[in-house]
Amino acid sequence: MPYMTLDEFKRKYGHEIGGIWVPRVTAITDIVAKPGLLKYYAQQESFEAAQIQLRSSAHWGSLTHKTIEEILKGNKPDVHPRILPSIEAFLRWKSQYQVIVPNPEKNIEMMIFDPDNLYAGRTDALVEIDGELGILDIKTGTGIWDEYYLQTAAYLNAYNKMVVSEEQAKKRWILRVEQYEECVICGAKKRTKSGKEVVKGGNPLCSHKFGKEIGIFEFKELKGYEDDIEAFLSAKELWEWYNREFLKQIKNYPKFK
Ligand SMILES: [Zn+2]
């Protein structure tokens, strides 16, 4: 790990809540290997080039994310043409389900905190879909990865501890939107990431003929909450062990008092 000051560590990996510091959910789930990301690094010319690329795709990803959250709040945001196919895919998803966001100002980008297990984070949205209340996480990558099971379990667990008198949330969903051009001959997919074209799948010998950019969505309910929350709490212990030298120095982290 590159050198970091204690303040940088606290800022990067945690939140201060009511005078105490606790780690962020995504800092903890980052210890789960990302096979897609490793493969991605291996394909790049250099580590630096890969970093620049990732930052740029993160920019479009977070813009897509923000635009979707505005729509869920009931606003009508301007949609950047670059992300229009993804937003159209989102609107197609929304029209296929009965999606209600109760109290959008509170339930979009909501801070959650588990006072027993000492972690915090921000959920994208607490929503009601077809009459059932749950955590919705919006993703803009190319797949639904294992770490999402841990993240959403952590959010659901903390949310339900915070709302003792209100309705408990039961479901966890991932909504993934993305966009690409598809070869009309072999089905290969071309994605544009920071001006660079990446072609995946299909037949490598094909002289591809790409159609216009399409947006797609994948909507998945994550099952197996009991196993996932247990795994998340184990991951947190492993994360604490890995970062023990920093954590020992954090005076307002109750676990190491
Ligand atoms: Zn082709």
Side-chain angles (χ1 to χ4, degrees):
M1 191 188 286
Y3 177 77
M4 212 184 270
T5 66
L6 187 60
D7 275 348
E8 281 166 349
F9 179 88
K10 288 174 78 173
R11 251 200 321 276
K12 193 158 182 226
Y13 296 119
H15 295 285
E16 303 260 358
I17 293 174
I20 65 169
W21 180 92
V22 291
R24 270 194 302 116
V25 168
T26 47
I28 293 161
T29 57
D30 271 353
I31 66 170
V32 176
K34 296 182 174 57
L37 199 58
L38 282 179
K39 221 165 96 194
Y40 174 82
Y41 271 104
Q43 286 162 351
Q44 301 302 311
E45 287 153 35
S46 70
F47 181 74
E48 287 72 25
Q51 294 263 303
I52 292 166
Q53 289 259 322
L54 279 176
R55 269 203 296 279
S56 172
S57 35
H59 167 76
W60 294 114
S62 54
L63 185 62
T64 304
H65 214 268
K66 263 192 214 123
T67 306
I68 288 175
E69 288 183 349
E70 284 304 311
I71 298 170
L72 282 174
K73 281 183 186 168
N75 299 332
K76 290 193 163 61
D78 289 332
V79 178
H80 193 291
R82 169 72 170 73
I83 62 167
L84 191 57
S86 294
I87 299 304
E88 284 171 345
F90 165 75
L91 293 172
R92 276 201 305 282
W93 168 77
K94 197 166 169 281
S95 70
Q96 288 178 22
Y97 296 86
Q98 176 92 28
V99 183
I100 297 169
V101 186
N103 197 354
E105 282 311 317
K106 173 174 159 272
N107 290 336
I108 302 285
E109 285 275 324
M110 179 184 7
M111 179 72 96
I112 53 90
F113 169 55
D114 179 338
D116 305 316
N117 296 298
L118 297 172
Y119 66 83
R122 257 179 218 289
T123 67
D124 288 339
L126 180 88
V127 295
E128 204 185 285
I129 298 175
D130 291 345
E132 298 194 277
L133 193 65
I135 297 289
L136 175 70
D137 222 55
I138 297 148
K139 303 291 183 188
T140 55
T142 55
I144 291 182
W145 314 120
D146 278 346
E147 67 197 271
Y148 301 165
Y149 286 80
L150 303 184
Q151 278 173 23
T152 54
Y155 295 147
L156 186 67
N157 173 58
Y159 175 77
N160 285 334
K161 285 189 181 188
M162 290 168 46
V163 291
V164 186
S165 59
E166 289 165 62
E167 187 191 348
Q168 300 274 294
K170 291 199 177 64
K171 302 278 180 174
R172 297 178 293 153
W173 300 283
I174 297 289
L175 174 63
R176 185 177 73 84
V177 296
E178 69 153 333
Q179 57 188 70
Y180 50 74
E181 292 167 45
E182 199 166 42
C183 172
V184 295
I185 303 161
C186 75
K189 289 170 182 154
K190 181 170 82 178
R191 297 178 175 88
T192 309
K193 294 192 168 171
S194 62
K196 199 173 162 188
E197 290 177 348
V198 183
V199 177
K200 272 187 188 160
N203 177 1
L205 300 176
C206 172
S207 51
H208 302 306
K209 190 165 161 260
F210 288 103
K212 85 184 221 327
E213 194 159 37
I214 54 168
I216 58 114
F217 72 81
E218 180 182 10
F219 180 56
K220 188 176 181 185
E221 180 184 344
L222 304 186
K223 306 255 183 157
Y225 167 74
E226 295 300 329
D227 287 345
D228 296 346
I229 190 64
E230 197 180 317
F232 171 76
L233 294 173
S234 303
K236 187 184 175 238
E237 280 187 37
L238 184 59
W239 182 88
E240 282 170 336
W241 173 83
Y242 187 71
N243 293 291
R244 61 197 178 283
E245 292 308 324
F246 278 115
L247 294 175
K248 271 186 236 166
Q249 301 172 55
I250 300 179
K251 299 283 185 286
N252 59 345
Y253 186 40
K255 194 154 180 182
F256 284 92
K257 233 183 340 206

